[in-house]
Every structure is written in C-alpha cells, then in structure tokens.
Amino acid sequence: ELEDQEAFRTTLAHEMTHLLVGSYFKEKKAHPPRWLDEGLAMLMEERAIPVSKPDAYWQAARAMLPRDSVVPAEHFVTTEPKSDAEKTAVRDWYFQAYLMTRWLFVEHSKLQFKSFCDSLRDGKDLRYSLKKVYAIRDLARFDADWINHAGLPAARPKTPADDKGFKFKPADFTDFSQSIFKKKEESK
C-alpha cells in the first residue's frame, strides 16, 4: 500500500506539472517546448519521491546518459521521444530533457527560470532566451555547462545501471483507484 501511495504521489506531481506548465503557456496562446515540459515534470516528480530516495532521477540520469548519446540542444529541442523507439533512446531523451531543465531550475535563481519560461512563452527561441536571461551566448556553451554540471560518463557503461525507478508512462489512475478500493473492501 505504501508503494501504491508513493506511485500515486509521484505520478500526481508529474501530471500536475504538465497541467500547470500547459496552462501557463496557454495564457499567451503558446505551447510549452516538449523538452521543458517533460524535464520540469520529471523534476517535480523526483521532488515527490520519499526523502529516503533523494535525487533518484539525478543519480540515474548521471549514471545512464553518456556524453556520446547527448544530442546538441540546437537539435534536441526540435525532437520528441518516439513511442516505437528503442527503450534506451526514449530513456536518453527523457534524461536529457530532465538534466537540461534541472540545470536551469536548480543551479540558477527561480526568478531567472521564470524569466526564461516567460521568454519562451512570448515566442522567443532557446538561443535568445538563454542569452537574455542566463547570459549564455550560444547553445554549445549551454550544452557544455549542463553536461559538465551533470558529470556524465564519456560512454554508456558496459554494465547497465539500475533504471528500476524510472517510468516512461504515467501510472494508470484507474488501476490505482481500483486497487485502493479493493484493499479497503478486503480489510472490512
């Protein structure tokens, strides 16, 4: 039951973040960049993980996303994960989105992050928004900064790291609620 509650809490944090980010951009009749939306949702999901497992995605992403699999931001921001892609490619996409967003959100002031989102919401591109808000003059510098901060390995480890805690699909609330009601009925 505790595991179900944790899964519910983390999924709720993830999905609520999507709703908030989507609403925020919709105020200006814009759509959030997919990488930022997913990266922020993963960050908030991670923050909902119990204190006994701090920075779970941070540790997993740093162990499993190698530098040689990073897609330069200039190209990455125009991509989306493909449902029919290999599991590793999808995981790499989500981890890169998370690490890029985490660096912007955690390593800088929250006011800067909001200003960055405002700029994107106003239709400015990534290059302009990074320069205006973070004084990062080009996307190669952005890539170097977040990659160095993450301390990514040069290449994929020969022994795969444990990715047990990383989910690619949100939990099904229907199944969750049915299991809770079933357990309550059984305990009567």
Side-chain angles (χ1 to χ4, degrees):
E1 188 172 307
L2 180 61
E3 204 171 287
D4 286 342
Q5 290 173 359
E6 288 177 4
F8 177 76
R9 186 173 50 248
T10 57
T11 300
L12 185 62
H14 185 104
E15 297 305 326
M16 288 301 295
T17 301
H18 283 312
L19 289 173
L20 292 170
V21 170
S23 295
Y24 173 73
F25 275 81
K26 193 173 184 179
E27 287 175 355
K28 296 272 182 123
K29 296 180 177 28
H31 296 284
R34 179 77 189 266
W35 68 272
L36 181 67
D37 191 23
E38 290 297 344
L40 194 55
M42 286 182 67
L43 183 59
M44 295 302 112
E45 178 180 345
E46 176 183 57
R47 304 250 164 143
I49 294 173
V51 178
S52 62
K53 305 173 197 171
D55 299 325
Y57 291 166
W58 172 242
Q59 298 304 327
R62 295 173 68 217
M64 292 188 283
L65 178 65
R67 287 177 187 250
D68 63 3
S69 292
V70 169
V71 176
E74 181 175 9
H75 302 293
F76 182 77
V77 299
T78 64
T79 66
E80 292 192 6
K82 294 180 175 36
S83 59
D84 61 344
E86 178 201 1
K87 180 181 176 183
T88 301
V90 173
R91 184 187 65 208
D92 286 353
W93 189 94
Y94 277 91
F95 278 157
Q96 182 168 340
Y98 160 78
L99 288 170
M100 288 168 53
T101 304
R102 187 183 194 282
W103 184 77
L104 293 168
F105 185 86
V106 173
E107 297 303 316
H108 301 87
S109 77
K110 300 308 175 262
L111 182 57
Q112 280 179 297
F113 187 77
K114 184 194 178 303
S115 296
F116 174 73
C117 291
D118 286 345
S119 181
L120 294 174
R121 183 174 76 155
D122 288 340
K124 306 301 184 201
D125 69 5
L126 178 63
R127 182 176 282 117
Y128 174 88
S129 300
L130 287 170
K131 184 176 180 181
K132 176 184 173 194
V133 177
Y134 296 102
I136 298 171
R137 300 208 178 277
D138 60 54
L139 295 181
R141 175 82 263 151
F142 171 58
D143 285 333
D145 289 349
W146 76 260
I147 290 168
N148 287 333
H149 173 73
L152 300 179
R156 197 168 309 282
K158 300 227 185 295
T159 306
D162 177 24
D163 64 351
K164 181 181 172 190
F166 182 68
K167 301 178 189 92
F168 298 111
K169 295 180 182 177
D172 183 345
F173 286 110
T174 307
D175 290 346
F176 173 77
S177 61
Q178 288 174 355
S179 70
I180 295 295
F181 292 124
K182 183 178 177 184
K183 287 178 184 176
K184 285 184 180 179
E185 291 296 319
E186 290 172 355
S187 65
K188 288 183 180 178

